[in-house]
Amino acid sequence: MLVVKLGGSAGIDPALTLDDLAALWPEHRIVFIHGANAVLDEWMRRLGREPRLVTSSTGQVSRFTDRETMDLMLMVYAGLVNKRLVEGLQQRGINAVGLTAMDGRIASGPRKDVLRAIENGKPKVLRGDYAGSIEQVDTRLLDLLLDNGYLPVLTPPAVSDQGEAINVDGDKLAMQLAVALRAEALIILSNTPGLLRDVRDPASLIATIDVSDPASVEAAMTAAQGRMKKKVEAGCKAVQSGIGRVVFADARLPQPIQRALAGVGTVLTAGSRVEVRP
């Protein structure tokens, strides 16, 4: 069982990942998760809205998602990008099904209406945010699809406890699904070779993160910038929760999934036994 997450940053041609999924399917059961940040930013600007990114006190970057932004997110994530990826897989002979994490309450949790953030160096309290966190994962719909030969293609948003669409982090969604599905590996593909010590230097790749070593994790979190912090945090939690291998790898190379499984990228494992969380 593999869980593959394709990031939504600029500069990624999804065709390379789709080709690799076609090569691996159906010998492997796969759940494919994707983002669409760059496309959402593009469409917001087309419609006269500037994307609003905010930074938490811990340095993590997230999107402020008001009601209108959520409407656009549904249009882009659940509509345009999700269905184009399903189309690409169908063209490669894979019977894919596109879903959001709302469908079947695959992922659910509380909405966080109030967001505390740092903007222009000043702390702010922002209200009206449609973002949240995942507290429950229900894999029954995914299992039903997998058991009947379909490849699920999944994207945020998730659903709140009150039934509202909520923006959730795609990497954390992938992590929690990998744990719930007891995946052998979690592959997180983006527009970098992996975690870099210097984001301007592709040769500064951190090849391994030993999740059982606090110093290794601290060094990784120090190196991670912006949204990469969430990837490192999600990857560490996945290993701590029993996933044997997590790999941050480059989506811009041929066979990105197979390369990641071969150890090309940043590999997160536990060098010694770690507490496996329920």
Side-chain angles (χ1 to χ4, degrees), residues 146-157:
L146 291 164
D147 289 345
N148 286 277
Y150 299 97
L151 193 157
V153 181
L154 191 64
T155 187

Side-chain angles (χ1 to χ4, degrees), residues 5-28:
K5 162 65 170 35
L6 178 64
S9 298
I12 295 176
D13 179 0
L16 298 172
T17 299
L18 299 183
D19 288 343
D20 218 11
L21 288 170
L24 293 166
W25 182 269
E27 285 75 16
H28 295 271

